Amino acid sequence: MSSFAEEYAALQSELDQVLQNCSRPAEEVKILAVSKTFPAEAIREAYNCGVRCFGENKVQELSEKAEMLPKDIQWHFIGHLQSNKVAKAVQYASWIHSVDSLKLLNKLDRIAGEMNKKPFILLEVNSGEESKSGVSYADLPELAKAAASAENLSFAGLMTMAPLTDDRREWLNAFAKLAAARGELEKMLSIKLPELSMGMSGDFAEAVVCGSTIIRIGSRLFGNRNYNL
Ligand SMILES: *Cc1c(COP(=O)(O)O)cnc(C)c1O
């Protein structure tokens, strides 16, 4: 097994190569290290390599790790957010990638206001029939309109997961579709939506070609997870 440092360096140079090939500047894409299921020591090792942005998909796990680890870590919540866990998510995560309903959006806005916080949010869009999470493209404009006017949330962009298939063309279609939707929403709402959170260990190259600005990388950096989440 190679160390986190080696994996991180290898990932960065692959990412640089992809960026060069599609003539995008290197600063445009951030690597979010998805540390779900891995212990705090694994995060500490990554932290010691200079990584400051970590992604978690369970609120309880996020809060336990955040309490144990340095306070300058920027936590991103990337999992399904249950309504009764919103306050705890807002307490620990400054980014929430998985807002996919008006009900969740409104609750986040209200609770963030009560807590005097203003988290960055991304709207998660559903790219495949097999997935339950994410707003449909049909309902996205209405949700985006509400997100843009939420007082206590910084609406920063869109997130998706590629459909579960080995067909690269379907990944590319899904990523290109999200990028196009971002452009349409920017026009419709006259706002800037700088972030596109798309691409994981197996498909980040395709996502970057389509304009991703945040790639969410778990197994490629930390190794295989013991259980599937
Ligand atoms: C687990 C997870 C990832 C990371 O997946 P890998 O294939 O391990 O890189 C990215 N995004 C979300 C939403 C996840 O739940």
Side-chain angles (χ1 to χ4, degrees):
M1 278 293 287
S2 48
S3 67
F4 182 92
E6 287 171 59
E7 289 299 338
Y8 191 60
L11 174 66
Q12 272 185 321
S13 72
E14 249 181 73
L15 174 60
D16 285 345
Q17 194 60 60
V18 175
L19 285 163
Q20 249 182 46
N21 291 347
C22 60
S23 308
R24 293 185 61 196
E27 320 81 64
E28 267 186 24
V29 180
K30 293 178 283 289
I31 297 172
L32 176 64
V34 176
S35 48
K36 65 186 187 191
T37 79
F38 290 95
E41 302 87 81
I43 300 175
R44 209 177 284 280
E45 187 185 349
Y47 181 90
N48 290 336
C49 296
V51 181
R52 292 294 178 272
C53 300
F54 294 92
E56 291 285 337
N57 72 339
K58 296 268 192 291
V59 175
Q60 185 59 29
E61 190 177 337
L62 161 67
S63 67
E64 285 167 12
K65 288 173 176 173
E67 286 296 338
M68 293 166 72
L69 288 158
K71 297 297 169 222
D72 62 337
I73 287 179
Q74 186 184 81
W75 294 100
H76 292 233
F77 188 77
I78 62 173
H80 174 67
L81 183 52
Q82 287 168 282
S83 165
N84 61 337
K85 306 234 169 94
V86 164
K88 209 166 183 181
V90 171
Q91 184 183 343
Y92 291 100
S94 52
W95 286 75
I96 297 180
H97 290 225
S98 46
V99 180
D100 64 355
S101 72
L102 267 177
K103 189 169 163 253
L104 178 58
L105 180 88
N106 289 334
K107 183 149 191 190
L108 270 167
D109 188 29
R110 178 171 59 77
I111 288 183
E114 285 167 11
M115 295 173 76
N116 240 328
K117 300 229 182 203
K118 194 167 183 179
F120 292 96
I121 61 149
L122 304 174
L123 301 183
E124 179 177 356
V125 183
N126 189 310
S127 287
E129 279 154 35
E130 64 287 302
S131 165
K132 291 184 297 286
S133 59
V135 65
S136 69
Y137 276 100
D139 293 337
L140 177 61
E142 188 195 2
L143 186 58
K145 207 171 161 190
S149 60
E151 251 175 70
N152 308 299
L153 304 172
S154 294
F155 180 23
L158 305 177
M159 179 271 222
T160 200
M161 299 218 259
L164 285 171
T165 162
D166 290 335
D167 189 346
R168 257 189 98 232
R169 285 165 307 175
E170 284 193 48
W171 304 345
L172 286 164
N173 283 342
F175 295 144
K177 192 169 175 185
L178 195 76
R182 184 260 299 262
E184 282 163 27
L185 293 176
E186 285 186 328
K187 236 188 265 163
M188 176 184 102
L189 301 167
S190 301
I191 54 172
K192 276 278 164 220
L193 295 172
E195 308 295 344
L196 283 177
S197 168
M198 56 188 198
M200 321 201 317
S201 291
D203 58 16
F204 73 86
E206 286 78 6
V208 167
V209 166
C210 295
S212 173
T213 63
I214 303 175
I215 56 173
R216 308 179 308 268
I217 308 293
S219 49
R220 172 71 199 264
L221 288 173
F222 292 104
N224 289 323
R225 289 180 290 274
N226 289 328
Y227 50 103
N228 208 4
L229 288 169

